[in-house]
């Protein structure tokens, strides 16, 4: 499926928005990490929902001794090299959507699967409102808000994992996943799936993220526009030309490197207007103003940083059991403290999705799955490589 360039699709799609117990022995350098469940602090096997590759118990990750330093003293911690996953070789990937993928009616299929329905019940308790009602009944204007759409997509995407698990052969597919990533907000979903933090903690972070981004957008009015039909160099030249005509506070930048021919520009309203006015002279096919609250993934989101940093600092984050590719630098990170810093930076940094997908494909990715509402990511992958198999698991 190719990404549509219709204005209706682009407005909807580009509303993206654009984080251990150590068991060692002298005879082994392996690290045992617990699989994820709704109660992340329980290390015993459980029948509760988990997003790990094993439904019960532990999964062993073999770590190179040169990359892991272990102290055998009581109360010791394990220092893990952040470059642990640098040489990853992907075969099966889970890809999670970001803001803009939401649609009224999503979640109906998930309610038919007990484990998925339980996620919504748990989410209702954490959020303090009925997220299922918002997902299924909307209205659209309510679901599209930054504050509500982010937790709604997070929960629905992880519910899609449970839908897949309930299928014949679904657990085997989940067991085979060796890399994951998500578009902007979807990075939090990917980290939850990979066991970096619990479902509950991830949802709390996503809720706060949406609120902080909305507050930042209210504090400094900005806008976003999709530029269709130009490569990234030409879009940068377009931004440079627009910035020559506006004050510093109104300047723009590329905020989402989505795929060749489709990039989102973010910045002050006057800067965005200058981009729109000059786009045809740069031979852009079209521009589409996006229905978003502000200039996401730019310095305009700086006011959101302190809240995010504080929340991330207080959250238990562990080394993911599989590589999770960052939106900020298109690299996997293993060190929990680095992951926290990367997640905070993400709201003010351009999304490197194009590089992420290209890297997965160039490293030998065999098949990928898009889990959650919409089919945006499948369209991007097909646009970059028509032969690459990808399946959508919607909820």
């Amino acid at each position: 499926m190719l990404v549509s360039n219709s204005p209706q699709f682009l407005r909807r799609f580009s509303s993206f928005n654009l984080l251990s117990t150590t068991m060692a022995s002298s005879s082994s350098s392996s690290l045992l990490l617990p699989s994820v469940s709704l109660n992340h602090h329980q290390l015993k096997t459980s029948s509760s929902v988990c997003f790990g590759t094993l439904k019960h118990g532990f999964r062993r990750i073999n770590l190179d001794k040169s990359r892991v330093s272990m102290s055998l003293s009581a109360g010791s911690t394990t220092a893990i090299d952040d470059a642990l996953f640098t040489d990853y070789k992907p075969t099966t990937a889970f890809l999670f959507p970001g803001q803009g993928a939401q649609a009224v009616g999503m979640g109906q299929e998930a309610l038919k699967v007990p484990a998925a329905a339980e996620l919504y019940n748990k989410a209702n308790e954490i959020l303090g409102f009925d997220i299922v009602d918002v997902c299924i009944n909307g209205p659209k204007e309510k679901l599209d808000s930054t504050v509500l759409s982010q937790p709604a997509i997070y929960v629905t995407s992880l519910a899609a994992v449970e839908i897949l698990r309930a299928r014949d052969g679904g657990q085997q597919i989940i067991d085979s996943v060796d890399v994951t990533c998500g578009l902007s907000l979807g990075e939090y979903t990917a980290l939850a799936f990979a066991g970096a933090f619990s479902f509950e903690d991830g949802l709390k972070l996503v809720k706060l993220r949406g609120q902080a981004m909305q507050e930042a957008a209210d504090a400094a009015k900005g806008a976003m526009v999709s530029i269709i039909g130009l490569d990234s160099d030409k879009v940068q030249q377009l931004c440079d030309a627009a910035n020559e005509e506006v004050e510093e506070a109104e300047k723009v930048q590329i905020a989402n490197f989505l795929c060749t021919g489709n990039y989102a520009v973010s910045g002050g309203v006057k800067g965005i207007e200058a981009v729109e006015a000059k786009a045809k002279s740069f031979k852009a096919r079209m521009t589409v103003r996006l229905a978003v609250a502000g200039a996401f993934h730019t310095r305009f989101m700086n006011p959101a940083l302190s809240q995010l940093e504080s929340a991330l600092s207080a959250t238990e984050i562990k080394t993911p059991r599989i590589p999770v590719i960052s939106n900020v630098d298109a690299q996997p990170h293993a060190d929990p403290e680095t992951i926290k810093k990367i997640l905070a930076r993400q709201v003010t940094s351009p999304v490197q999705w194009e590089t992420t997908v290209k890297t997965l494909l160039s490293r030998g990715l065999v098949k990928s799955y898009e889990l959650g509402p919409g089919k945006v990511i499948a369209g991007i992958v097909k646009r970059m490589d028509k032969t690459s198999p990808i399946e959508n698991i919607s909820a």
Side-chain angles (χ1 to χ4, degrees):
M1 184 186 84
L2 296 180
V3 175
S4 169
N5 285 327
S6 69
Q8 181 180 7
F9 169 84
L10 290 164
R11 286 191 187 96
R12 177 171 168 128
F13 160 68
S14 300
S15 299
F16 70 93
N17 271 345
L18 322 114
L19 178 91
S20 57
T21 298
T22 300
M23 303 181 66
S25 68
S26 58
S27 62
S28 172
S29 61
S30 298
L31 179 67
L32 291 174
L33 298 179
S35 58
V36 184
S37 71
L38 281 176
N39 187 349
H40 196 67
H41 303 291
Q42 290 182 339
L43 300 185
K44 61 185 179 180
T45 58
S46 167
S47 60
S48 60
V49 178
C50 82
F51 305 115
T53 58
L54 296 182
K55 191 170 184 179
H56 300 285
F58 293 92
R59 182 185 188 221
R60 181 178 295 275
I61 301 177
N62 291 317
L63 305 180
D64 190 315
K65 290 182 180 179
S66 67
R67 290 186 171 184
V68 182
S69 61
M70 294 187 177
S71 170
L72 299 180
S73 61
S76 64
T77 59
T78 300
I80 298 180
D81 186 346
D82 189 53
L84 178 66
F85 297 124
T86 297
D87 299 325
Y88 74 98
K89 291 179 172 54
T91 58
T92 306
F94 271 11
L95 312 177
F96 295 99
Q99 188 174 348
Q102 72 274 0
V104 174
M106 69 183 192
Q108 293 187 74
E109 291 301 313
L111 296 181
K112 301 175 184 178
V113 177
E118 178 58 24
L119 291 181
Y120 284 102
N121 291 334
K122 177 63 68 173
N124 289 345
E125 296 174 9
I126 294 170
L127 296 171
F129 62 86
D130 191 347
I131 191 67
V132 176
D133 181 64
V134 175
C135 288
I136 295 178
N137 300 314
K140 183 180 184 301
E141 295 73 19
K142 185 176 182 179
L143 179 60
D144 285 350
S145 70
T146 299
V147 173
L148 295 181
S149 62
Q150 293 198 27
I153 293 168
Y154 172 86
V155 177
T156 301
S157 296
L158 290 174
V161 175
E162 298 308 320
I163 290 176
L164 175 60
R165 196 193 307 276
R167 284 182 7 184
D168 288 343
Q171 185 64 51
Q172 287 70 31
I173 293 173
I174 294 171
D175 290 347
S176 72
V177 176
D178 51 15
V179 66
T180 183
C181 53
L183 181 60
S184 190
L185 158 71
E187 186 171 340
Y188 286 78
T189 318
L191 284 163
F193 171 75
F197 46 65
S198 68
F199 169 80
E200 296 95 331
D201 284 347
L203 181 57
K204 291 172 185 176
L205 287 170
V206 167
K207 178 185 178 183
L208 181 140
R209 181 181 187 264
Q211 292 171 339
M213 291 176 72
Q214 182 63 60
E215 290 171 6
D218 292 340
K221 295 301 180 183
M224 297 182 70
V225 62
S226 276
I227 312 299
I228 310 302
L230 298 180
D231 62 28
S232 59
D233 289 340
K234 281 290 186 182
V235 176
Q236 184 58 57
Q237 293 172 22
L238 173 58
C239 289
D240 292 341
N243 286 338
E244 291 178 359
E245 298 187 359
V246 298
E247 297 180 357
E248 184 68 28
E250 297 287 338
K251 289 187 176 181
V252 300
Q253 69 178 73
I254 302 176
N256 188 352
F257 292 82
L258 184 61
C259 61
T260 300
N262 194 341
Y263 302 93
V265 172
S266 235
V269 174
K270 291 183 179 178
I272 293 296
E273 290 172 348
V275 167
E276 292 169 329
K278 291 178 174 293
K280 285 190 177 180
S281 66
F282 279 80
K283 302 192 182 306
R285 192 193 322 165
M286 64 188 300
T287 64
V288 180
R289 182 72 72 95
L290 307 181
V292 295
F296 298 140
H297 295 291
T298 69
R299 68 190 185 284
F300 282 72
M301 292 293 105
N302 280 338
L305 282 177
S306 60
Q307 290 188 63
L308 269 175
E309 288 170 345
S310 178
L312 287 162
S313 177
T315 301
E316 180 184 14
I317 295 185
K318 302 180 181 182
T319 297
R321 53 187 177 71
I322 57 175
V324 179
I325 313 304
S326 165
N327 280 222
V328 173
D329 58 9
Q331 296 291 328
H333 296 276
D335 175 50
E337 292 306 311
T338 301
I339 292 171
K340 291 181 180 183
K341 293 175 183 177
I342 286 284
L343 285 176
R345 286 175 53 200
Q346 193 216 62
V347 293
T348 59
S349 302
V351 174
Q352 302 295 337
W353 191 251
E354 182 177 22
T355 300
T356 295
V357 175
K358 282 183 177 179
T359 301
L360 290 174
L361 294 172
S362 68
R363 290 193 176 204
L365 182 67
V366 176
K367 184 169 183 179
S368 51
Y369 295 81
E370 176 180 16
L371 297 103
K375 297 182 179 180
V376 168
I377 291 177
I380 295 171
V381 173
K382 284 299 183 182
R383 183 162 186 164
M384 297 176 72
D385 184 351
K386 294 180 181 179
T387 67
S388 182
I390 182 167
E391 182 179 346
N392 176 266
I393 308 296
S394 59

